[in-house]
Amino acid sequence: MTDAPEHGGRIGPTLAESTPWWPTPHHAPAGAPNVVVMLLDDTGFAHLGCFGSDLPTPNVDRLAERGLRFTNFHVTPLCSPTRAALLTGRNHHEVGMRGLSNFDTGFPHQRGHITERAATIAEVLRGEGYATFAVGKWHLCPMAEASAAGPFDHWPLQRGFDRYYGFLDGETDQFHPALVYDNHHVEPPRTPEEGYHLTEDLVDRSIGFIHDSVSVRPDRPFFLYLAFGATHAPHQAPAEYLERHRGRYDEGWDVARRRWYDKQVATGIVPPGTELAPRNPGVEPWDDLPEDQRRLAARLQEAHAAFLEHTDAQVGRLVDDLDDLGILDDTIIVFLSDNGASQEGGPFGVLHEMKFFNLVEESVAEAIERIDRIGGPDSHTNYPWGWAQAGNTPFRWYKQNTHEGGVHVPLVVHWPGGIDPAHAGGLRDQFHHVTDLAPTLYELLGITPPERHRGVDQLPVTGTSFAYALDRPDAPTAKAVQYFEMLGHRGLWLDGWKAVTRHQPGTAFSDDTWELYDLTADRSECHDLAAAEPDRLARMVERWWAEAERHGVLPLDDRLLELFFTRFRDHTPHRPDRSYRYHPPVTPLPVQAAPSLSGTDWVLTATVERGPGDGGDGVLYASGTANSGLSFFVQDGRLCLDYNIFGDHHLIAAEAVLPAGATRLGARFRKLGHGDLGRAGAEITLTADDEPVAAGTVPFAMLIMSSVGPSIGRDHGGGVSDRYRAPFPYAGRIRTLDVQLVRARRPDPDAAAGEHRAGMARQ
């Protein structure tokens, strides 16, 4: 018998004539440190106590006291792109993540997933003998592929992680999350009434993964990527955290922002001479606001601060656990945010963020009526622009923008075993970018990323290691140049100067006005030198185009919200005829893998077998949350549909009891106006065996209903309708459930996109 090529010994006719051989497993070197990367969402440069605010973050502050704070660190202006750059060490366009992972626009820079030509940190470290865990927000796979049907190619376990627990989309309800465990969807382990909150669950799972690993294989170091939902909307926190922040922000954003800025200057977080940027357009002086508007804005900030403090407490639990295990000093902890504070709350803030996406301006008087719900399980709040700019102190603008407010974030590195104690608590002001994190870790771990991975040639790692800065506080930055681009907003950092433009969607890119700042003297971009240095600006704009060509930024594309309307593409669950048939039981669906019952006409048809009495009660189809959505259900034998418009319930209910046995139950939704962004409302008709049994109208047809997708045969979230207690499973049998989206009287979804863009511009 010939030897097997992969066998290093000899295979003979008998054992006596053979030589055994065992492959040597690839093992990390003895003493290789663990790595924990903790990522916050939509947290501004000043939000952490150790970066200027007086918001309580004692556990992150403790990491800063024993580690280093990087005060000139930058990211992309949006979540998915930052995550892609963080995990690969390449710029987001070149790995296929121009914007959110929710979209594939047909160009290499926006495929909605990370290209296989860019191995993640997890893939590289697993190849070097590390155990790898991802916990929390992923948002790096096409959301049409995030259902239980897959494909799973771009889920965490397929991109280098051994274990995963978290949510795949860009946001989730913190009390009723849409959870995935490894490669399957799961329900939360407890209810809010039992004390459940997602952030605690994520840290519980992180601790569990670590304990499993170090208990059984203490010889293997681990890499934990923990991406919190905090502090992205919805801002939700346990009641005791909300209570302890009551009244703390009544002084308003002007006073708080000035105090945070003064602290930044006094502690060296910003260089001497840095000015506090003026208020952004739309941010009014706090003292000029009406009393109710101040009261609402303060309560919204309370919810955000409570959410942040609660998250900090969970960070402390994880750090304390590492200490109890005796491995804290040998663990590199990196703590950062993915972009600046969010502008999605608008000028007044929102009790329900979906109103922002539906262009519904809630009056302060309406919001005040629900003020005590802010931050709780049935809220979906975001703070107003004034508090967002305070979070970005001392900078201008917000998340989505390429000005410093959108891209300049806090970074803490904690590693007692690798950072000289003499440097503990120090500041590092070298310019660096999120693409630099992966090469920094590779250098610290002594790892060279592979040129080929799984048979695929790899793109070069374009980030620049900042490992040199750990023990060289005064070393000049090793970064040469960095471009920025998001939704047409553009920027270029070069030798301490920055050229930047804020693009207006729908306008010609050639009409954009470029600004120029000397960031060495003007960190907060207060003094535009474009007119004084036109030649320098021209060179930098020309260099931006060169960098854009090099890193795959082109074609420029300023679309975002309207892409939610253009989901009917090949190779997705969405058939060209917009017809869907489900065969229960079916795992709850993410929004983009499900039919969109927003912005169009539709028909639901459930073929059921009902028992006598209440043998056929329960939810047939529910989509959304207690904050907004719709539920189609049977209660007390009567067919019902609750159309929940941002907490205002509109119930259509039949009077007659449905017959037992096989029945076809239907709901028809027809918009009453087209081209009006849903404001003409809609009529709803309920049918049994194709005969009308109830009808009514609703005053508004939602364009974007929820970030939580549908469930069939039960309501898997917090309960869309207030007429039952979720999950209210259907007691009979649903043989099939059909959804037919009816082509509206406009030509295609792109028309809706145009209407929505126009509405956004008006708002």
Side-chain angles (χ1 to χ4, degrees):
M1 180 178 180
T2 58
D3 292 341
E6 69 277 7
H7 189 263
R10 172 169 173 73
I11 301 174
T14 67
L15 180 60
E17 300 169 90
S18 303
T19 304
W21 175 84
W22 292 268
T24 301
H26 200 95
H27 197 285
N34 308 301
V35 178
V36 175
V37 174
M38 288 188 271
L39 184 65
L40 289 182
D41 202 323
D42 291 2
T43 302
F45 180 68
H47 270 141
L48 304 177
C50 55
F51 276 81
S53 85
D54 47 25
L55 304 183
T57 58
N59 293 289
V60 178
D61 297 350
R62 178 162 52 108
L63 293 176
E65 289 169 3
R66 295 189 65 195
L68 300 173
R69 282 169 289 174
F70 286 77
T71 58
N72 200 4
F73 186 78
H74 294 73
V75 290
T76 83
L78 214 55
C79 50
S80 296
T82 288
R83 286 162 166 73
L86 185 158
L87 287 172
T88 66
R90 288 95 165 171
N91 285 290
H92 57 111
H93 295 88
E94 56 195 340
V95 301
M97 202 69 69
R98 174 190 70 81
L100 300 179
S101 72
N102 304 68
F103 316 119
D104 181 345
T105 62
F107 295 103
H109 66 7
Q110 184 55 51
R111 288 304 187 187
H113 63 80
I114 296 171
T115 175
E116 293 182 358
R117 299 178 62 208
T120 67
I121 296 175
E123 289 172 303
V124 174
L125 265 58
R126 185 164 69 177
E128 297 290 334
Y130 273 71
T132 56
F133 318 126
V135 177
K137 174 174 170 176
W138 183 240
H139 212 198
L140 290 173
C141 74
M143 295 315 301
E145 299 179 3
S147 75
F152 303 93
D153 305 51
H154 306 291
W155 288 35
L157 265 59
Q158 282 65 39
R159 293 312 309 255
F161 290 99
D162 299 322
R163 308 300 307 276
Y164 174 64
Y165 186 84
F167 57 101
L168 297 176
D169 210 337
E171 67 175 49
T172 196
D173 190 287
Q174 300 296 303
F175 291 103
H176 301 282
L179 287 173
V180 168
Y181 195 156
D182 291 341
N183 268 2
H184 62 281
H185 294 261
V186 296
E187 295 294 323
R190 298 183 306 281
T191 66
E193 293 76 16
E194 295 169 329
Y196 180 83
H197 190 281
L198 175 61
T199 310
E200 296 179 22
D201 191 13
L202 297 180
V203 171
D204 287 345
R205 199 64 60 178
S206 298
I207 290 172
F209 287 168
I210 291 170
H211 280 229
D212 286 345
S213 185
V214 302
S215 296
V216 181
R217 289 294 305 272
D219 57 310
R220 296 182 72 198
F222 62 82
F223 167 51
L224 168 65
Y225 170 63
L226 173 54
F228 293 104
T231 53
H232 194 291
H235 296 159
Q236 297 170 306
E240 62 269 26
Y241 281 85
L242 295 169
E243 285 299 324
R244 70 179 62 169
H245 284 269
R246 291 289 180 257
R248 292 189 58 174
Y249 310 102
D250 292 351
E251 63 189 1
W253 50 63
D254 290 325
V255 172
R257 186 166 173 254
R258 169 60 65 171
R259 185 170 62 251
W260 299 355
Y261 161 75
D262 289 342
K263 181 180 175 183
Q264 289 177 329
V265 173
T267 57
I269 297 298
V270 297
T274 299
E275 298 179 30
L276 182 63
R279 297 184 195 91
N280 293 330
V283 177
E284 300 298 327
W286 180 265
D287 290 342
D288 292 350
L289 300 178
E291 181 180 352
D292 278 354
Q293 191 172 332
R294 293 198 302 268
R295 184 180 169 211
L296 174 63
R299 184 63 65 89
L300 292 168
Q301 172 65 6
E302 290 171 12
H304 169 265
F307 194 14
L308 179 61
E309 183 187 8
H310 178 249
T311 303
D312 177 84
Q314 309 319 307
V315 171
R317 284 205 301 125
L318 177 59
V319 173
D320 288 346
D321 187 75
L322 296 173
D323 200 13
D324 289 344
L325 291 172
I327 58 176
L328 180 60
D329 286 358
D330 298 322
T331 300
I332 302 171
I333 297 178
V334 179
F335 191 95
L336 71 159
S337 173
D338 66 350
N339 46 245
S342 163
Q343 61 179 299
E344 281 86 11
F348 309 118
V350 291
L351 264 70
H352 195 299
E353 195 183 34
M354 287 299 130
K355 288 188 175 181
F356 171 84
F357 295 115
N358 279 274
L359 308 177
V360 174
E361 290 191 24
E362 184 174 40
S363 73
V364 173
E366 291 173 324
I368 285 291
E369 293 179 3
R370 304 182 184 185
I371 194 169
D372 290 332
R373 298 167 64 179
I374 290 174
D378 59 350
S379 69
H380 194 125
T381 65
N382 205 345
Y383 48 36
W385 287 341
W387 283 117
Q389 189 174 11
N392 292 332
T393 301
F395 305 127
R396 303 167 58 202
W397 300 116
Y398 316 98
K399 167 187 173 182
Q400 300 185 23
N401 303 131
T402 51
H403 284 76
E404 294 293 283
V407 298
H408 197 141
V409 301
L411 171 69
V412 174
V413 177
H414 177 276
W415 185 24
I419 296 175
D420 188 330
H423 294 296
L427 306 178
R428 298 293 183 269
D429 198 49
Q430 294 90 349
F431 178 94
H432 277 288
H433 186 258
V434 66
T435 51
D436 304 334
L437 181 57
T440 301
L441 291 174
Y442 294 152
E443 180 176 346
L444 295 176
L445 301 177
I447 290 172
T448 300
E451 295 182 1
R452 285 179 63 82
H453 178 69
R454 298 173 65 178
V456 178
D457 290 339
Q458 297 292 287
L459 295 168
V461 173
T462 49
T464 302
S465 171
F466 56 83
Y468 67 90
L470 297 188
D471 58 4
R472 296 171 59 200
D474 298 323
T477 181
K479 191 78 170 177
V481 63
Q482 180 61 50
Y483 81 89
F484 300 90
E485 192 280 331
M486 184 59 60
L487 309 174
H489 306 304
R490 287 163 283 167
L492 183 85
W493 179 91
L494 180 66
D495 296 331
W497 289 78
K498 184 176 178 183
V500 62
T501 181
R502 185 169 176 268
H503 176 71
Q504 294 299 320
T507 63
F509 295 106
S510 58
D511 291 339
D512 290 339
T513 299
W514 284 84
E515 304 160 20
L516 180 67
Y517 300 99
D518 178 4
L519 295 187
T520 59
D522 180 21
R523 183 66 57 86
S524 52
E525 299 173 323
C526 288
H527 300 284
D528 182 6
L529 301 178
E533 299 233 26
D535 292 341
R536 182 189 296 272
L537 177 60
R539 291 195 302 272
M540 292 189 68
V541 171
E542 183 179 3
R543 180 65 181 270
W544 184 92
W545 285 102
E547 293 295 309
E549 182 71 28
R550 177 188 174 201
H551 295 290
V553 177
L554 308 178
L556 285 175
D557 187 347
D558 61 3
R559 296 173 296 167
L560 177 60
L561 286 177
E562 57 265 51
L563 291 173
F564 282 102
F565 293 98
T566 55
R567 57 165 61 176
F568 298 95
R569 298 288 185 256
D570 294 337
H571 313 300
T572 76
H574 306 292
R575 293 161 42 113
D577 62 3
R578 306 182 189 184
S579 179
Y580 307 77
R581 168 160 287 187
Y582 299 102
H583 303 269
V586 177
T587 301
L589 296 164
V591 168
Q592 284 190 260
S596 173
L597 304 190
S598 304
T600 190
D601 300 350
W602 48 263
V603 178
L604 285 175
T605 306
T607 302
V608 305
E609 293 178 0
R610 300 188 67 253
D614 63 358
D617 279 6
V619 171
L620 301 166
Y621 184 96
S623 184
T625 68
N627 299 304
S628 63
L630 68 87
S631 181
F632 183 41
F633 60 98
V634 180
Q635 190 171 53
D636 298 327
R638 295 169 173 83
L639 190 60
C640 305
L641 190 143
D642 188 338
Y643 195 72
N644 177 354
I645 306 174
F646 317 123
D648 292 328
H649 295 269
H650 299 269
L651 183 72
I652 312 296
E655 295 184 0
V657 174
L658 294 167
T663 311
R664 283 169 49 85
L665 304 177
R668 300 171 184 167
F669 183 94
R670 180 179 179 274
K671 289 183 65 179
L672 295 176
H674 293 274
D676 67 343
L677 298 174
R679 283 163 172 75
E683 60 182 15
I684 298 172
T685 304
L686 306 184
T687 63
D689 293 325
D690 301 320
E691 294 297 325
V693 296
T697 60
V698 295
F700 182 72
M702 290 178 281
L703 294 173
I704 297 177
M705 188 178 296
S706 177
S707 59
V708 175
S711 51
I712 298 166
R714 61 197 296 267
D715 187 338
H716 78 287
V720 173
S721 177
D722 59 1
R723 294 289 296 265
Y724 56 75
R725 182 180 177 86
F728 196 34
Y730 186 65
R733 180 187 179 190
I734 305 175
R735 297 185 64 88
T736 59
L737 188 136
D738 293 281
V739 182
Q740 178 65 62
L741 303 186
V742 180
R743 292 186 181 274
R745 278 143 285 178
R746 52 182 176 244
D748 55 49
D750 289 339
E755 294 170 12
H756 199 265
R757 169 177 274 181
M760 292 296 293
R762 290 194 296 274
Q763 179 161 301

